[in-house]
Amino acid sequence: MPTRPKTMDNMSKHMTCVEKTARAQAEEDVLPTRQKVKLKQPAFMEQDKAAKKYWSTILKRMEGISLLDDLDSEVLAVYCSMLSRRDATQKMLATALKCVESSDQSDQDKMDALSKIDSLMSKLQIQERSILAYFVVDEYHAHITSDIYDIGLNSFGKRPQALLDVITTAGDDAQSKPCYREELYAKQVLDGEVQDETYFVMIRELPLDANPHDKSKWCMANPCLRYPNDYSKYLLDQIETEYTAAYGSNDPHKIRQFLTRRMCQWQTGSIDRYLDENCMELARKAQISRTAFAALTDDLICWCGFDLGKRIDLSGVGAVFLLSDGRVAIKAHGFMPRNRAEAHEHTDRVPYIAWAKDGYCTLTPGDVTDNSYVDDWIKGGELQNRWKVQEVDYDGHNATDLAIKMCEDRNNEDFCVEIAQTCAGQNLAVKGFRELLLQGRIVLEENPLVIWCLANAIEITNNYGDIKLSKKHKDDTERIDPVAAVMNALARALVRRNNPTLADRIDKGEFSL
C-alpha cells in the first residue's frame, strides 16, 4: 500500500516550480524556528487550570510545527479554553441530569436542577460570544438575509485581531440578496471610492461586458487556469463540460448556473420572475406622486379589484383607469392586521409599519384583517376622487361574503365579478401589463409596497402559452396580493378597451346619431 501523502504535499502538489521556490523563500524569511518563539498565555487563561493543562499537552504534541506570532497563541488559548468549558459543562450537566432523573429527589429539587441547567446554558452562550475570534460565512450568495453575517460581526466585541471571512460565488436574485449588496461595497473599496483599511477584498469574475463563449477569458474568473498543470487541466475539462451542457441544451437554468458558478456573474431575478430587472426599472420610473396621480384620474371611469389573503397577512386592492391617450393608470393599496405587522416585518423583511405611516398600506385593528376596509377604500375613491367605478373584480377565495355585501350596498347584483384564477383567466391582464410597461404606457401611483410585490411575482405558463401570476411557493413570504388585485381589475378593463360599447364610441366621438 502506498504511503499517504503529507498534508503539505497535498497543498503544494498543484504548484508550479516557480511558485514552490517562491513559497520556500517566503517561509524561510518569515517563519521563525520553534526555539525563537516564546508563547505567552493570554490573561483570560490565568484562572483556568484545565485550560492550562490542555495548553501544555497540546504544545508537546506540536513538536516541529512553527508558530508565527501572538495570534497563534491567542487562537490556541481560545481552543484550550473551549476544551476546558466543554469538560466543565459535561460534568455539570451530568450532575444536574442525574438529579432530575433520580426518583429520590423532590419535585422542587428537580425544578431547581432544571433551572440550573437553563442558567448554565445562558452563561455559556454569553461566554462563547465573548471569545469568538474567527467567523466564516460560506456560500453567502445563498443567504436570504444577512442575519448570520451580522451575528458573526457583532460577536467579536473587543477581541483583538478578530477576523470575519466571507467566501462565495455569485448567485441569483441579485436585487434581493445581502451578498450582492456586500459585493457592491467591496468593489467600491477596490475602486478607491471608499477607504476601508479593515476590509480585504479579492474578486475573481468574468466582467459583464466580456463574452462567456470566449474561453480565453475564463481565467478571469478561474485564475488557476493561467498556470498549466494537472489540476488546471482537470478544472478546464470540468468547465468545458458544464459549458457544453448549458449552451448546447439552451436550458436557461443550466446557463444561469454556469454563469454564476463558473463565471461568477450575478443574475438579476430568477428564471421564472414575471418582470426582469429591465421591466422592474421601467416600473419604478412609471411611478408618479399621489397628487399627480389624483390630478390625472379624478372623475374618471375605473375598474377596481381586490385579492384577500389569509386575513392574518397581506390583502390587496387596486383601481385601473383607461386614459384617453392610450395609457393605463394604476393605483394599489395593501391591508394587514396591526397586531401581526411586526411579526410579518421579520418574516417578510419589509417595513410594513413605516409603509403604513406613509400611507402605502393600512393596518387594521386586531389580529385579522377587517375586510370592510377594502370596501371603504373603494368608497373613498368614489367619494373623494369621484371615481366612476364600473365594477369590482375579485379572486373568489375567502371573498364571497364581501362581494355579496358590496353588491347589496349598491343595489347592483352585477357590481362584483369573480375572475378565474387560471392562466386563461389571467392571461390578458398579465401579458397586457408587461406589454404596456415596455411601451411606456403604464402610470403607477408611487408605492414601494407595490414595487416589492411586482418584484416577487412569478409567472406560471400552461400548455397553450397562457400565463398567470403566483408566489414562488404557496406559503412564501414574498407576497403579491396588491398586484394580484390589480390584475383582476385589469383583466376586465382590457376586455372593455378591446371591445368598446356603443356608449364608449359616442364618448370618443366615433359614433353619432
Side-chain angles (χ1 to χ4, degrees), residues 389-439:
V389 181
Q390 295 294 290
E391 62 184 36
V392 173
D393 310 298
Y394 66 100
D395 174 1
H397 185 65
N398 295 329
T400 304
D401 291 345
L402 178 60
I404 291 174
K405 179 181 182 300
M406 293 175 73
C407 289
E408 290 177 346
D409 288 348
R410 291 164 176 80
N411 195 27
N412 180 357
E413 62 181 13
D414 297 323
F415 186 70
C416 293
V417 178
E418 183 175 352
I419 304 298
Q421 301 300 298
T422 62
C423 290
Q426 292 281 302
N427 184 65
L428 177 61
V430 175
K431 285 186 177 179
F433 178 87
R434 187 161 56 192
E435 291 171 1
L436 290 166
L437 190 61
L438 290 169
Q439 294 166 3

Side-chain angles (χ1 to χ4, degrees), residues 345-479:
E345 284 196 341
H346 292 294
T347 58
D348 301 4
R349 303 179 299 280
V350 290
Y352 289 118
I353 297 175
W355 283 346
K357 290 180 180 178
D358 292 333
Y360 299 123
C361 64
T362 298
L363 302 182
T364 67
D367 294 308
V368 297
T369 301
D370 184 348
N371 289 335
S372 66
Y373 278 74
V374 173
D375 191 14
D376 292 342
W377 186 85
I378 296 173
K379 289 178 178 177
E382 292 176 308
L383 181 63
Q384 298 168 15
N385 302 98
R386 301 169 302 283
W387 296 348
K388 300 178 178 64
V389 181
Q390 295 294 290
E391 62 184 36
V392 173
D393 310 298
Y394 66 100
D395 174 1
H397 185 65
N398 295 329
T400 304
D401 291 345
L402 178 60
I404 291 174
K405 179 181 182 300
M406 293 175 73
C407 289
E408 290 177 346
D409 288 348
R410 291 164 176 80
N411 195 27
N412 180 357
E413 62 181 13
D414 297 323
F415 186 70
C416 293
V417 178
E418 183 175 352
I419 304 298
Q421 301 300 298
T422 62
C423 290
Q426 292 281 302
N427 184 65
L428 177 61
V430 175
K431 285 186 177 179
F433 178 87
R434 187 161 56 192
E435 291 171 1
L436 290 166
L437 190 61
L438 290 169
Q439 294 166 3
R441 295 166 58 194
I442 288 289
V443 180
L444 296 175
E445 184 186 77
E446 181 183 31
N447 191 324
L449 171 60
V450 175
I451 296 298
W452 177 68
C453 290
L454 280 171
N456 293 337
I458 300 295
E459 69 175 47
I460 295 176
T461 308
N462 66 10
N463 294 333
Y464 302 101
D466 297 333
I467 63 175
K468 70 173 184 177
L469 298 190
S470 177
K471 298 194 295 185
K472 190 178 296 184
H473 307 291
K474 68 180 182 68
D475 295 322
D476 206 339
T477 56
E478 294 184 348
R479 309 187 191 281

Side-chain angles (χ1 to χ4, degrees), residues 3-21:
T3 305
R4 293 183 60 185
K6 296 180 180 179
T7 303
M8 287 300 295
D9 293 338
N10 278 329
M11 294 173 61
S12 61
K13 68 179 181 179
H14 299 305
M15 297 172 63
T16 64
C17 293
V18 174
E19 289 173 327
K20 289 180 180 179
T21 302

